[in-house]
Amino acid sequence: MAIYLVPVAALALLLRIATSAHPLFFLFTVAGTLCHELAHFFAGLVTNARPVGLTVLPRWIGRGKPNTGNGHWELGSVTFANLRWYNAAPAALAPLLILAIPLAVAWWRTHSGTRYGPPDLALAFLLAPQLLSFWPSPVDWRLAARSWPWPLIALACGLVWWGWRANWPAYWLTLLNP
């Protein structure tokens, strides 16, 4: 699977370089931007953050003209009406789930017994933007910080899962019944 994703990652790197050189290349990243913003949107729906706005049109944020170092491009955004401590992290970090798309396609293509061919080149142009868009933006991380109890909840769940997998219940029962 990793070998299948090498050309996709190389194309993603080329797209990253090209989009920083000229805004026209944002057209190649539309699929990733759309998935990123839809991940926020649907996570907001599920967690009751109430998304009220969605845009995937790039716009320049800052002073002066683009690419002068006085700002940055915002490729899309979602606004929420009910962002609270319990839903900020799931809504803000939802794009991390996008990484499952390239991994699933790579698994499918490598386990179906097919060889790398023209369809895979087309898939690479759809998957490369996903590799560029799965990481939450700095604004997303700041919003996720509102959910300070979530890391503690995730740690507790992880410990319970790990303990269950390590067969802790049986261990504790053997201590109670000598």
Side-chain angles (χ1 to χ4, degrees), residues 25 48 50 52 92 132 156 163 165 176:
F25 290 101
N48 193 32
R50 288 195 306 227
V52 293
L132 292 175
R165 298 238 341 147
L176 294 174

Side-chain angles (χ1 to χ4, degrees), residues 152-164:
L152 299 175
I153 294 168
L155 179 64
C157 290
L159 287 174
V160 166
W161 178 80
W162 179 72
W164 195 263

Side-chain angles (χ1 to χ4, degrees), residues 64-99:
K65 293 184 178 184
N67 298 331
T68 59
N70 296 328
H72 66 279
W73 282 99
E74 179 183 82
L75 300 181
S77 67
V78 175
T79 53
F80 298 102
N82 188 39
L83 205 59
R84 303 287 186 255
W85 71 267
Y86 59 89
N87 61 12
L93 302 179
L96 289 170
L97 298 173
I98 293 172
L99 190 57

Side-chain angles (χ1 to χ4, degrees), residues 10-121:
L11 182 60
L13 181 63
L14 288 174
L15 287 176
R16 178 75 162 179
I17 293 167
T19 55
S20 65
H22 196 276
L24 179 65
F25 290 101
F26 286 134
L27 291 173
F28 292 108
T29 62
V30 168
T33 302
L34 186 62
C35 286
H36 183 100
E37 301 308 334
L38 285 176
H40 286 308
F41 188 84
F42 287 119
L45 283 177
V46 169
T47 62
N48 193 32
R50 288 195 306 227
V52 293
L54 172 98
T55 180
V56 292
L57 298 174
R59 71 180 184 146
W60 177 251
I61 305 291
R63 297 185 318 257
K65 293 184 178 184
N67 298 331
T68 59
N70 296 328
H72 66 279
W73 282 99
E74 179 183 82
L75 300 181
S77 67
V78 175
T79 53
F80 298 102
N82 188 39
L83 205 59
R84 303 287 186 255
W85 71 267
Y86 59 89
N87 61 12
L93 302 179
L96 289 170
L97 298 173
I98 293 172
L99 190 57
I101 296 169
L103 294 175
V105 170
W107 183 88
W108 166 60
R109 294 299 290 168
T110 58
H111 285 78
S112 64
T114 58
R115 294 181 183 208
Y116 200 88
D120 295 298
L121 183 60

